[in-house]
Every structure is written in structure tokens, then in C-alpha cells.
Amino acid sequence: MSSAPARILITGASGCVGQHIADLLYRESDAELLLWLRDPSKLTAVPANDPRITLLVGDLRDVEPHRAQIASATRIIHTATAWGDPERAQQVNVVAVKQMLAATNPEVLEQVVYFSTASILNKDLKLLPEAMPYGTEYIQTKAQCLEQLEQHPLAQRIVAVFPTLVFGGRVDGGGKFPTSYLTAGLKEGARWLWLAKWLRAEASFHFIHAADIARVCVHLATHPHQPNPEVGQGAVRRLVLGQPMVTVDETVRRLCRWRRAWYPPFGLDLQGWLIEGLIKLLRIEVNAWDRFSIRQRHFVHDPISPPERFGLVSHAPTLEAVFEDAGLKHRG
């Protein structure tokens, strides 16, 4: 392996997770960073004019302007994604990934850390059969891309990471890093505690902070790549990034405690028929994936990969740490 500094390409570099990764690599390594983004003005975590940083400005769907830089990368951390528009999701989440990998130099490239979503995996980290028939355009394209990567010539150099529910940034939109959608929703969720605390739901999930995603990815990107050591997987290594499972009821209870609000000892159990009734009464639009998620209820995985699995220390291992980091105020 060359003694020259690594050249690490980060796509989606202006996003919440992308900026956490860039910041950590900038502070804790000597790597040269190739940051692929559409809007340089959104880059707040690292100095764009630093000699170690090269901005690749443009859309992920157009590799031509950056072909030479892509070919020079020794590592790629691919966080960029798209959702909402089916055609754009297909072009960004499937076609552009294939084009980017085709532009790499196999004699130089050591590793690709590819971002997917834990929503497409079952408990045992296998692809959910429901992902393709019921999934949104985002879910479907992520499932399709994973299937293709398993057959890709570079498959043995790919680590697919599957973040669970991602927190990051601050509820007031300030601070060094962008705010994730989930953290942005904390403030609004706190406003509905008066109702949520009277409901009970048999459901559970994992969460992860963007800083802890970055910690794991930087660990992977700064250590020698190895063939997949995970038992029962294919050539592509699968890592679900999340903290230990928490239930929905426990989350509401802990949020009440944080907000210094009373949590009642009993509540209305949200059975399937009641949920369906509320959907009709409130005229809530739900798609096939929403209905599958309502039936599924428990989005848990084994094994999960928090920073501790790699001998590291989590930035936000608990919900309380997430609330604190987000700047969510204590008030009843």
C-alpha cells in the first residue's frame, strides 16, 4: 500500500451525514478529500479553501466533469441519494452509482462505503421480500442497487452501510452541521406529547446519530480493507448502523421526562383497526409501504453496528444524548 495520503471521495458531501464524515476525516486524518456536492454554499463543517479539500461541484448524474478525480480516489464514501421523484430516484440511486463505479480505477480503488437504508433489510440483514413490490421509489431503488452491487466486479471491495433512524444537527437549525429530518421533527413531536403520551404502540426501532455514522465510516476508510468477515453474507459486507433497540412507548416516556411532562401509567392501545380508523377519520394519505410498515411494527436487526462494535465510543448512545445534542429544551 502506498505511503501517500489517501484520496477519499465523499458524495453528498453537503448533507448532514456527509459533512460529519468530512469533518471527522479532516480533523483526524491526513487524507485528501474530494467532496462531491451540488451547492458549495451549504458546506459549513470544513474549510472549502483548504489545500487538502477539492470540491467537485455538480450533479451525481453527470460523472464526465469529474472522471479524472473519481479515477484517482483510493476510497469512496457514497452518501448521496434521492427520493420523491421516481425517475430521479432511479437515475441517482441506481444508474449514477453504476456510472461512478465504472469511472473508478480498479488498480487504485481500495474500498467503497455505500450508503443504503436499514428499511430494506429484515431482522437477519437479508433483503426484505416486500421492498420491491410495496416500497416507495426510494426503497425500491435502494433494493435494486444492492442486488446489482452483489454481482458487481468490485463487490469484494464494497461495504454497504444501512443507517437506521438518523439524528443530527440542532432543532433550531443552528450549529456546524445541517439538521437531519428526524432531528428537525423533534421540536414538532414535542408539541404533540400531550396526545402521544396517552397512546400505546407495540413497535420498536433502532436509531443512530450522524456523528456515530461518521465515526464508523471513518474507521472503515482509514483501516486496511479486508474481504467480508461477516458470517452468512455475500461478497458485499452489510453493516446496520444503529444503537440498541428502543420501543415507541419507551421513547415517548423518555421524551416526557426530558420535557418534564407527566407520563400517565395507562393509555389507549393502538391496535390495527384503530389505526385504520384514524387514517380514515383524519383522511391521512398512506401508500403500500406505509401499510406494510404499520403491519411490520418492529424494525429491528441483528447484528447492529454502533461504534462500540469497532472498539470506538458513541457520541450519542442514548435518546437523552440525542436530545441534548439537538438542543431540545427542557420545558413542561
Side-chain angles (χ1 to χ4, degrees), residues 17-137:
V17 172
Q19 294 213 49
H20 270 280
I21 294 172
D23 174 67
L24 198 57
L25 281 168
Y26 178 73
R27 290 187 291 108
E28 298 190 1
S29 80
D30 64 349
E32 298 175 6
L33 305 181
L34 310 175
L35 306 184
W36 197 344
L37 40 67
R38 288 185 295 173
D39 186 355
S41 69
K42 293 183 178 180
L43 188 65
T44 56
V46 295
N49 59 353
D50 189 282
R52 286 172 51 202
I53 294 176
T54 300
L55 300 187
L56 311 185
V57 181
D59 194 289
L60 194 73
R61 291 169 289 184
D62 185 10
V63 303
E64 289 305 319
H66 311 303
R67 186 171 290 277
Q69 299 283 14
I70 296 170
S72 73
T74 57
R75 307 270 177 144
I76 295 176
I77 302 178
H78 179 60
T79 77
T81 192
W83 62 87
D85 175 51
E87 182 178 353
R88 182 169 181 267
Q90 179 70 25
Q91 290 298 315
V92 172
N93 298 345
V94 180
V95 178
V97 176
K98 188 183 302 183
Q99 292 175 342
M100 179 181 66
L101 292 180
T104 63
N105 182 350
E107 296 183 3
V108 173
L109 184 69
E110 300 170 11
Q111 179 191 70
V112 177
V113 178
Y114 163 77
F115 271 67
S116 187
T117 171
S119 298
I120 68 171
L121 299 182
N122 68 9
K123 181 179 182 297
D124 302 313
L125 278 57
K126 305 295 184 184
L127 187 62
L128 271 173
E130 296 84 357
M132 288 304 295
Y134 300 139
T136 62
E137 76 288 332

Side-chain angles (χ1 to χ4, degrees), residues 2 33 36 44 62 69 76 119 124 128-129 147 149 152 164 178 193 232 242 278 287-288 293-295 300 325:
S2 172
L33 305 181
W36 197 344
T44 56
D62 185 10
Q69 299 283 14
I76 295 176
S119 298
D124 302 313
L128 271 173
E147 289 184 325
L149 290 178
H152 198 277
T164 49
L193 267 183
L278 289 172
N287 55 38
S293 300
I294 292 170
R295 295 193 305 270
V300 295
D325 187 87

Side-chain angles (χ1 to χ4, degrees), residues 141-153:
T141 53
K142 286 297 186 181
Q144 184 181 347
C145 188
L146 179 63
E147 289 184 325
Q148 292 184 5
L149 290 178
E150 290 286 3
Q151 307 303 319
H152 198 277

Side-chain angles (χ1 to χ4, degrees), residues 127-236:
L127 187 62
L128 271 173
E130 296 84 357
M132 288 304 295
Y134 300 139
T136 62
E137 76 288 332
Y138 174 70
I139 295 295
Q140 290 178 344
T141 53
K142 286 297 186 181
Q144 184 181 347
C145 188
L146 179 63
E147 289 184 325
Q148 292 184 5
L149 290 178
E150 290 286 3
Q151 307 303 319
H152 198 277
L154 294 173
Q156 292 188 347
R157 305 184 205 183
I158 298 173
V159 181
V161 295
F162 301 84
T164 49
L165 297 180
V166 178
F167 290 97
R170 297 181 61 81
V171 292
D172 61 7
K176 185 177 181 179
F177 300 101
T179 302
S180 74
Y181 290 102
L182 200 58
T183 293
L186 274 178
K187 192 174 183 179
E188 183 66 20
R191 293 196 185 105
W192 287 92
L193 267 183
W194 64 271
L195 175 61
K197 68 184 182 181
W198 292 103
L199 304 175
R200 300 293 180 267
E202 185 187 352
S204 51
F205 62 93
H206 302 280
F207 68 90
I208 188 78
H209 195 282
D212 292 323
I213 294 175
R215 179 61 66 186
V216 172
C217 290
V218 169
H219 173 82
L220 294 170
T222 55
H223 285 74
H225 183 71
Q226 57 180 328
N228 189 2
E230 309 291 337
V231 177
Q233 295 183 3
V236 174

